[in-house]
Amino acid sequence: MSPALPAVTDETVTAWALAAAGGDRDAVDRFVRALQRDVRRYVAYLTGDPQKADDLTQDTFLRALGSLHRFEGRSSARTWLLTIARRAVVDSMRHASARPRLTDTGDWQTAAEHTQPLGLPGFEEGVALMDLVDSLPDDRREAFVLTQMLGLPYAEAAAASRCPVGTVRSRVARARLSLAGALEVAEPVRKAEPAAA
């Protein structure tokens, strides 16, 4: 098991990307390790399918490493990579929508629920949070995940989303309002459940 890397700055990651573009193999490894978790979380939230996240993360890095020689550092490497991740997700969705969906069970939801590890601390809260974030419209969910969960500055989130900074700020504000409203509705129900049991 490899040790966890400490948090690194965007400047450091960008320097690694530029060094990797110049052929430094150690820089390639540091670049991938530093951003792998962010890319995986981002694609998991964009797709709403954690099962696809590993494949899409790998696809993102394959695309990025294949075009790393063209990276000039005009934006941070993180922004550049998340833009590639977004394109990988869009391409995956287009590909999936063109294929027929096959299943061997009539009750896919129950089958999916039985594969989840229950009873872990915070599991229910994590599922509830994911459900709330997933219920946001796509543009708001993307802005919220980039800025609030991945911690990107608004300008970098705007570059990754290909929209103005003001639009990202508006989407995040609306996402927060939607989540706060959903929490207010859910809270009385959650407090009433133990009494009903």
Side-chain angles (χ1 to χ4, degrees):
M1 181 177 217
S2 61
L5 290 174
V8 294
T9 65
D10 281 342
E11 291 81 14
T12 302
V13 173
T14 301
W16 288 339
L18 291 169
D24 183 340
R25 290 179 187 249
D26 290 334
V28 171
D29 185 54
R30 289 189 296 266
F31 169 71
V32 171
R33 286 176 183 254
L35 296 177
Q36 188 170 16
R37 183 174 179 217
D38 286 351
V39 170
R40 189 183 186 292
R41 287 175 59 190
Y42 182 52
V43 298
Y45 277 102
L46 285 181
T47 62
D49 185 354
Q51 303 300 325
K52 284 186 174 181
D54 290 331
D55 290 338
L56 287 168
T57 299
Q58 183 176 13
D59 184 34
T60 297
F61 279 102
L62 287 173
R63 290 177 184 209
L65 294 176
S67 60
L68 196 56
H69 64 281
R70 291 190 302 250
F71 177 68
E72 297 174 354
R74 284 182 270 166
S75 67
S76 76
R78 183 184 314 267
T79 300
W80 175 74
L81 189 61
L82 292 177
T83 301
I84 293 171
R86 187 173 195 261
R87 275 188 251 133
V89 169
V90 168
D91 291 348
S92 172
M93 289 178 172
R94 284 185 185 141
H95 180 73
S97 67
R99 300 188 65 159
R101 294 188 179 139
L102 304 174
T103 182
D104 61 348
T105 179
D107 189 8
W108 62 269
Q109 190 167 6
T110 301
E113 288 171 359
H114 286 293
T115 64
Q116 300 300 317
L118 300 175
L120 298 176
F123 178 80
E124 289 81 12
E125 292 84 0
V127 170
L129 176 62
M130 285 178 52
D131 287 345
L132 288 176
V133 172
D134 287 345
S135 71
L136 294 170
D138 292 344
D139 56 346
R140 292 180 192 173
R141 180 176 66 229
E142 179 182 28
F144 185 83
V145 169
L146 285 172
T147 60
Q148 307 306 299
M149 299 179 87
L150 296 179
L152 255 65
Y154 283 93
E156 290 188 23
S161 301
R162 296 184 178 189
C163 65
V165 173
T167 301
V168 171
R169 290 185 190 282
S170 174
R171 288 174 180 172
V172 170
R174 289 185 177 137
R176 285 180 178 163
L177 286 173
S178 296
L179 291 172
L183 286 171
E184 285 178 18
V185 170
E187 189 62 24
V189 172
R190 192 174 68 82
K191 286 182 178 177
E193 284 176 355

